[in-house]
Amino acid sequence: MLLTLRTQSARLCSGFSGQPRCLFASSAASAEEANKISPPNQAQLQLEINGGTYATDSWTNVTSKILTHLGLNKHLQRDHPLSIIRQRIVNYFYAAYRNQRGNPLFSVYDKLNPVVTVQQNFDNLLIPSDHVSRQKSDCYYINQQHLLRAHTTAHQVELISGGLDNFLVVGEVYRRDEIDSTHYPVFHQADAVRLVTKDKLFERNPGLELFEETWSGSIANPKRILPSSKFMDQTKQPCHTLEAVKLMEHEMKHVLVGLTKDLFGPRIKYRWVDTYFPFTQPSWELEIYFKDNWLEVLGCGIMRHEILQRAGVHQSIGYAFGLGLERLAMILFDIPDIRLFWSNDTGFLSQFSENDLQNLTKYKPISHYPQCTNDLSFWLPTDVEVNEGFSPNDFYDLVRSVAGDVVEQISLVDKFKHPKTGKSSVCFRIVYRHMERTMTQAEVNDIHKHIADASVEHFNVEIR
Ligand code: DAH
């Protein structure tokens, strides 16, 4: 793991409070209130996180438990449902946008450090200084200047400043929240930005402009930063022409509906809902109709031009969106509890495979009771080998008929041929688990013995 924690920081955390999920779409309220519940004054401690050293202060509320999530990278773990969803989204964007040579236009950043500055997470995105989402009760602060990113949008400005114009960011985000079947303080997001210049957007209408003539003074003087608009007009920002905004909106909505249909099937019912984000104007949420409810799947909009200006981009218009991976995965795989995404239980993990990204298997509930693993090794009869006279599938069927549902998984973990006798040996690992109670080792051993006896009888094998 990348992370080390020099000090015992469990006591650093202040009290928890449940918060609404979509912090950035909510309207502003004073952050002062919640900040009153700051922890008692601490002696200064040093936190070492992902190679950086941070001095704690009265803002520090990150806990050692939360810090254990850094570097787990569930979105990159082979065959993990979050990794499967990530690949579906990335592949969709690779296919949707290609350059003249046929290469993908979007680049993907999925290993960025989740430790960000207040500037990255909030200021760069024009999130007002009194916005609720900055509250200590909502974020994991490392200190007054640093926090664990509360959204992947936090990386927008650094990537645009670095010259990128089409990119996706995928990673885990941290928000203080209650824990239940749909809330967990660490979850995963994908964010995207697409910037286009006038020439590209108006390829077929070269007479049109991105920016209003009355506003164009700032193009001649690109250093000028516009003051934030005090109220949000859902039609457009003052600097943009309506044509530019409408074309971008059309392209963005077309692509995002395409993504939604790619994930949920062409018949999915969806609707666009106007909303507010500090970093986009106009802004929308896309909702899908699922199990008799409208469910929000993503937030998006036309990027505030001030953000682009600050990142050194003056001649483009952009769209951006962000979505949560867990929510999509829970729907697509029928996963009933968000905590399962953190499970290392092979009964959970072995159900998913990225070999066929287009065919997602539905999750079958596993028991809460502990697993019990026993290996069974035997010599095959002379001249019999795996798949030549002995089929593992036959063995699996035998196990299931002897032991029934208490067998959760069976796998062939080893095979070898004895150099002298020429006999083949196989080893199977059998994982036992009861749906309603904890099994005792003695009980498991007894079933295991029955399987061994039945194997001898059916396959004429010799138990080792
Ligand atoms: N960051 C927002 C959230 O976490 C989601 C979002 C909305 C991202 C609009 C964007 C965007 O990039 O343009 O709720």
Side-chain angles (χ1 to χ4, degrees):
M1 192 162 20
L2 291 169
L3 166 148
T4 53
L5 188 60
R6 257 202 217 142
T7 51
Q8 203 349 325
S9 68
R11 279 177 295 125
L12 295 176
C13 130
S14 64
F16 269 98
S17 67
Q19 292 300 321
R21 201 74 184 142
C22 195
L23 300 168
F24 298 96
S26 55
S27 59
S30 173
E32 230 88 67
E33 205 44 38
N35 290 347
K36 284 186 191 141
I37 49 160
S38 39
N41 266 346
Q42 310 278 335
Q44 232 191 32
L45 302 169
Q46 300 280 314
L47 290 179
E48 221 172 82
I49 306 167
N50 266 0
T53 306
Y54 306 88
T56 63
D57 58 26
S58 64
W59 280 74
T60 310
N61 63 358
V62 68
T63 64
S64 43
K65 172 75 187 148
I66 283 298
L67 289 173
T68 63
H69 293 81
L70 273 87
L72 292 183
N73 288 335
K74 293 291 176 188
H75 62 294
L76 301 174
Q77 181 176 318
R78 199 182 154 79
D79 293 334
H80 193 281
L82 295 175
S83 171
I84 293 172
I85 300 295
R86 168 187 59 83
Q87 292 180 68
R88 285 286 297 263
I89 295 168
V90 167
N91 290 347
Y92 174 83
F93 271 85
Y94 281 171
Y97 287 103
R98 292 187 175 276
N99 65 17
Q100 280 142 339
R101 292 183 175 180
N103 294 323
L105 219 54
F106 276 70
S107 44
V108 180
Y109 296 83
D110 50 22
K111 292 185 203 76
L112 298 175
N113 188 355
V115 177
V116 296
T117 59
V118 166
Q119 170 137 14
Q120 286 172 291
N121 200 82
F122 301 113
D123 302 341
N124 284 349
L125 296 166
L126 312 178
I127 297 172
S129 56
D130 60 354
H131 195 269
V132 276
S133 62
R134 293 185 183 240
Q135 289 177 168
K136 257 166 91 175
S137 59
D138 285 24
C139 297
Y140 287 105
Y141 282 93
I142 295 168
N143 57 31
Q144 193 169 7
Q145 257 87 50
H146 299 90
L147 71 158
L148 298 176
R149 67 183 165 218
H151 53 174
T152 40
T153 321
H155 299 286
Q156 240 179 41
V157 167
E158 76 203 62
L159 294 173
I160 297 170
S161 302
L164 297 175
D165 50 9
N166 292 281
F167 59 85
L168 286 155
V169 177
V170 190
E172 82 283 12
V173 301
Y174 299 79
R175 292 187 198 173
R176 296 185 67 191
D177 211 333
E178 64 216 71
I179 299 184
D180 62 26
S181 65
T182 54
H183 296 94
Y184 195 80
V186 191
F187 60 100
H188 295 74
Q189 286 190 329
D191 250 73
V193 163
R194 168 161 167 77
L195 305 181
V196 288
T197 56
K198 172 183 138 180
D199 295 348
K200 200 94 224 101
L201 190 64
F202 297 130
E203 228 164 9
R204 275 174 274 161
N205 300 282
L208 298 179
E209 297 291 336
L210 289 186
F211 300 102
E212 292 283 9
E213 219 174 295
T214 47
W215 183 83
S216 59
S218 63
I219 293 173
N221 176 16
K223 290 259 150 26
R224 192 179 130 201
I225 301 290
L226 290 170
S228 312
S229 17
K230 281 289 173 241
F231 73 96
M232 285 286 172
D233 174 356
Q234 180 66 9
T235 322
K236 69 178 194 69
Q237 297 165 49
C239 60
H240 291 137
T241 63
L242 191 57
E243 305 81 81
V245 172
K246 284 290 166 198
L247 256 180
M248 275 309 263
E249 174 186 343
H250 173 75
E251 177 185 321
M252 178 185 75
K253 287 185 170 176
H254 177 75
V255 165
L256 292 177
V257 167
L259 172 66
T260 307
K261 290 187 171 173
D262 183 69
L263 292 171
F264 297 103
R267 282 196 301 277
I268 188 78
K269 237 166 84 180
Y270 66 87
R271 68 180 185 194
W272 289 102
V273 181
D274 285 356
T275 192
Y276 162 84
F277 295 108
F279 25 92
T280 50
Q281 184 192 4
S283 310
W284 298 271
E285 277 168 357
L286 178 57
E287 295 184 345
I288 59 165
Y289 198 67
F290 179 75
K291 287 195 177 157
D292 301 334
N293 276 312
W294 284 104
L295 260 183
E296 177 214 321
V297 287
L298 60 85
C300 64
I302 304 299
M303 296 177 68
R304 294 271 300 276
H305 191 58
E306 267 179 273
I307 297 178
L308 299 188
Q309 280 187 317
R310 290 182 188 203
V313 171
H314 301 275
Q315 309 286 15
S316 298
I317 184 168
Y319 76 67
F321 74 85
L323 51 79
L325 298 188
E326 274 81 352
R327 174 165 283 191
L328 300 182
M330 286 174 88
I331 299 173
L332 288 167
F333 293 101
D334 247 344
I335 294 174
D337 195 312
I338 199 166
R339 290 166 285 201
L340 284 165
F341 293 108
W342 300 98
S343 170
N344 288 321
D345 189 309
T346 56
F348 174 74
L349 293 171
S350 66
Q351 294 194 28
F352 312 98
S353 162
E354 58 189 53
N355 288 341
D356 186 357
L357 289 173
Q358 288 317 116
N359 279 313
L360 307 185
T361 47
K362 293 289 180 201
Y363 166 73
K364 288 181 224 65
I366 51 166
S367 157
H368 301 297
Y369 297 95
Q371 295 175 320
C372 214
T373 303
N374 276 20
D375 286 353
L376 182 65
S377 303
F378 45 72
W379 294 109
L380 298 179
T382 314
D383 296 334
V384 170
E385 291 188 27
V386 174
N387 293 325
E388 284 171 42
F390 173 79
S391 149
N393 284 340
D394 290 342
F395 176 73
Y396 302 152
D397 282 336
L398 176 89
V399 174
R400 299 232 175 260
S401 43
V402 172
D405 283 346
V406 296
V407 171
E408 189 180 79
Q409 301 157 55
I410 322 166
S411 49
L412 177 61
V413 287
D414 193 28
K415 58 179 181 188
F416 81 95
K417 206 174 180 146
H418 194 284
K420 292 222 174 86
T421 64
K423 278 189 159 195
S424 288
S425 164
V426 288
C427 176
F428 289 97
R429 181 153 300 158
I430 306 177
V431 180
Y432 297 88
R433 171 146 57 184
H434 202 285
M435 289 302 285
E436 283 115 29
R437 60 182 173 79
T438 301
M439 296 177 87
T440 63
Q441 188 63 53
E443 180 183 15
V444 169
N445 290 348
D446 195 41
I447 300 171
H448 203 65
K449 174 85 172 63
H450 274 101
I451 293 172
D453 293 347
S455 303
V456 171
E457 191 180 318
H458 278 79
F459 304 118
N460 198 22
V461 299
E462 186 189 328
I463 304 296
R464 298 185 60 196

